[in-house]
Each structure stands twice: as C-alpha cells, then as structure tokens.
C-alpha cells in the first residue's frame, strides 16, 4: 500500500468527524489535498498537507519512506471562545477516531502510522486561508511505508 491509499483511509475517517458539545455539528468538507490558496473553504473543514518525505535504505536495497502529513482543521464561528471550544472538541474526536482505527495494526490502508501532535505554540491556533482568519487545530501524522512489503 502507498501514500494515496493511506490518504484515502484518512479522509474516510475525517469525513465521519462529528461533535455533540459545545454544539452539534460535523465536518462540512475534507480536502484530501491542499486546495488552491484562493479557494474559499467550507468550514468546518479539514485540510491534509503532505509536508515532506524521507527515504531510508538498507544495504540490501530495502527501505522505507516516511511522509509527514499535517492535518489542519478550520472552524468558522463568530465567537472566539466558542470557536476554541469547538476546535478542541474536534481535536479530541479526531484523535479518538485515529486511535480506534489504528489501534490494532497501527496502520491506515496498510501504511504504518505514527501519531504526533506537533502544533507549534498554543492550541487551538489561529489559521489563515485566502486572507480569512479561522480558529483551528493542527496535528501531525507520520505515515511510514515499508519497502520490504
């Protein structure tokens, strides 16, 4: 399995994201790949951004590729406190879904997953898209593709 299959499995998870508190709502849009910078986001939404990849090889030629994936969740609420509560609720929901889905095998579509939270600074954070400010969260996953399979 490869990076595209892992992204498909991740999008399937993200599309089920829903919260019941502080308000009942679900994700309106999941972007498998980063949309154009001038695109209007439909919030609440999730963006998946492949940031980097690293290949490691052994002397036998087998290797593994690690992709760092940044997940950004954008919340559009008029009140700052409400938006932060909603962002944190989504953070918990996403983390719970990822843990549940990857608990047994630690994989998404056969690709090993290492969950991290590498948000720089406070969380929730201020995110900007198309010159519009949002409150949101940012989480990082390392997707590891083993070349020996």
């Amino acid at each position: 399995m490869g990076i595209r299959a892992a992204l498909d499995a991740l999008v399937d998870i993200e599309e089920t994201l829903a919260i019941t508190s502080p308000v009942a709502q679900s994700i309106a849009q999941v972007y498998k790949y980063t949309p154009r910078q001038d695109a209007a986001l439909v919030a609440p939404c999730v963006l998946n951004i492949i940031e980097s990849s690293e290949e490691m090889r052994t002397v036998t030629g087998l290797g593994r590729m690690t992709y760092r994936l940044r997940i950004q969740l954008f919340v559009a609420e008029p009140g700052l406190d409400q938006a932060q509560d909603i962002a944190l609720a989504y953070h918990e929901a996403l983390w719970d879904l990822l843990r549940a889905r990857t608990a047994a095998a630690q994989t998404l579509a056969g690709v090993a997953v290492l969950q991290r939270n590498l948000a720089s600074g406070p969380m929730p954070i201020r995110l900007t898209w198309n010159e519009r400010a949002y409150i949101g969260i940012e989480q990082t996953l390392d997707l590891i593709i083993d070349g020996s399979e």
Side-chain angles (χ1 to χ4, degrees):
M1 294 293 170
I3 184 68
R4 290 181 299 124
L7 276 172
D8 287 341
L10 179 61
V11 166
D12 288 346
I13 291 170
E14 293 166 340
E15 287 176 337
T16 68
L17 274 175
I19 60 172
T20 57
S21 176
V23 296
Q25 66 176 223
S26 58
I27 293 297
Q29 179 75 46
V30 175
Y31 299 91
K32 179 178 175 182
Y33 301 109
T34 309
R36 293 181 4 190
Q37 189 62 39
D38 64 348
L41 297 182
V42 179
C45 65
V46 177
L47 270 67
N48 294 296
I49 303 164
I50 300 172
E51 287 197 319
S52 60
S53 62
E54 174 185 36
E55 183 177 25
M56 298 175 65
R57 292 202 169 270
T58 65
V59 291
T60 62
L62 298 175
R64 85 178 184 192
M65 182 72 77
T66 301
Y67 292 91
R68 172 134 312 148
L69 180 69
R70 186 164 33 116
I71 301 169
Q72 292 183 329
L73 191 143
F74 291 72
V75 175
E77 289 294 321
L80 183 59
D81 287 347
Q82 177 88 341
Q84 291 183 46
D85 280 344
I86 291 170
L88 287 175
Y90 275 120
H91 166 74
E92 291 172 344
L94 177 59
W95 224 234
D96 289 347
L97 284 172
L98 285 170
R99 269 196 300 261
R101 180 66 84 78
T102 64
Q106 295 294 305
T107 66
L108 283 172
V111 174
V113 175
L114 176 61
Q115 293 177 324
R116 300 175 182 227
N117 188 352
L118 298 177
S120 58
M123 190 172 78
I125 61 174
R126 182 179 184 270
L127 297 168
T128 304
W129 193 267
N130 193 12
E131 300 181 11
R132 181 170 176 204
Y134 298 85
I135 294 297
I137 59 168
E138 187 170 272
Q139 296 175 327
T140 303
L141 295 180
D142 285 346
L143 304 175
I144 304 165
I145 300 172
D146 189 351
S148 64
E149 294 179 358

